[in-house]
Amino acid sequence: MEYSHFKEHTDRVVESCSRVIVGKEETVRLIFISFLCSGHVLLEDVPGTGKTMLLKAFARTVGSGFKRIQFTPDLLPSELTGINYYNQKEQAFQFRPGAIFTNILLADEINRATPRTQSSLLECMEERQCSVDGVTYPMTQPFLVVATQNPVEIQGTFPLPEAQLDRFFMKLSLGYPDAQQERAMLTAYQLQSPLNSLAPVCVGQDILEVQKQVAQVRVSQPVAAYIVSLAGATRRHEKIRLGISPRGVIALMRASQAKAAMQGRDYVLPDDVKSVFLDISAHRIICRGYQMGQADDVAKECLSEILVQTPAPVEQQ
């Protein structure tokens, strides 16, 4: 696919998902960016805003396998990764894959599971592999984990540790639709769910090829220096106790590459970096007086100040 066709391809994906989730085009684009960058998404919002429906629509649109697993305090790591069981007919142990073996996994209410179960995702998310009883199994490709959290009911939950939060490429929120969008939603769902009529606009193999092309989008030295400057500013800001990690810097570059490709360009502009900076960085920093992942509004306020104060490179005449 030529870079000039990326925008058209992205618009088809967004248009298809918008039939199911009305008015959340930018969120769909950001999830698609994460998918193209082999990243993972933390989706935090109140119940009923369409998180599960959005992921179902996205998986069907990109022609990928989809599984959903509800995280509860009694969920075992083996239910995610799989187990070796004894097959009496074959008289041998066989591996039964868990829910993690799919293209798109929705980990619903991830903070309700115990830390032991949460940590079973780490190797799968970072290394794209899963180890069970000393045997390593590769994950299905492409692979995307979208974990959800409910910010309202926090009693009896296990907050994600810093190491796991940092492994999420982006942290997003759907939010409530406005009145016009809600009326359009009622019209769309009056007879049946529009999800039933969705057809794939691409297949998994296409995504793997697109991922390779996104990685080849050029990042010039001035733009790379700008990315590093933004990261350094988060580590020096007076209201930030912990700035973004080197993993976050790489994620910012990759997201900027995908953003540029979606605009039909084979090179990154500073505006591409600015457009994804908040979503990539807000959950990775710790503001003074808060824990990591808390007070997103305060974090984004600090990051917005950094964007204003950090000079962006300009084209030389």
Side-chain angles (χ1 to χ4, degrees), residues 22-25 176-186:
V22 180
K24 302 301 175 184
E25 291 82 1
Y176 288 118
D178 59 30
Q180 182 178 356
Q181 292 166 352
E182 240 168 347
R183 287 196 297 270
M185 180 187 68
L186 293 179

Side-chain angles (χ1 to χ4, degrees), residues 147-278:
T148 68
Q149 289 189 144
N150 177 3
V152 179
E153 298 175 3
I154 59 174
Q155 187 174 4
T157 61
F158 302 87
L160 297 180
E162 287 81 357
Q164 193 162 347
L165 269 177
D166 196 60
R167 280 174 167 82
F168 283 99
F169 195 76
M170 289 188 184
K171 183 179 180 182
L172 305 174
S173 177
L174 282 176
Y176 288 118
D178 59 30
Q180 182 178 356
Q181 292 166 352
E182 240 168 347
R183 287 196 297 270
M185 180 187 68
L186 293 179
T187 302
Y189 280 82
Q190 186 170 358
L191 298 178
Q192 64 174 354
S193 172
L195 181 66
N196 300 332
S197 60
L198 283 191
V201 300
C202 58
V203 295
Q205 191 60 39
D206 294 336
I207 296 296
L208 293 177
E209 293 299 322
V210 172
Q211 286 177 342
K212 293 178 183 178
Q213 286 187 274
V214 166
Q216 295 172 5
V217 173
R218 291 182 288 111
V219 182
S220 66
Q221 287 303 314
V223 172
Y226 179 56
I227 292 173
V228 172
S229 297
L230 289 173
T234 66
R235 299 161 190 165
R236 297 187 299 269
H237 197 281
E238 59 180 8
K239 295 181 182 178
I240 299 177
R241 180 161 55 91
L242 183 69
I244 67 174
S245 64
R247 182 191 287 121
V249 177
I250 295 173
L252 181 56
M253 179 192 69
R254 289 178 176 169
S256 303
Q257 288 176 298
K259 184 71 173 183
M262 286 181 173
Q263 301 297 321
R265 285 183 274 103
D266 64 350
Y267 56 91
V268 175
L269 293 175
D271 285 345
D272 299 321
V273 179
K274 293 177 181 179
S275 66
V276 296
F277 180 59
L278 299 187

Side-chain angles (χ1 to χ4, degrees), residues 22 25 90 97 99 128 181 251 258 279 296 314:
V22 180
E25 291 82 1
E90 301 291 336
R128 299 304 195 275
Q181 292 166 352
D279 296 305
D296 285 346
V314 294

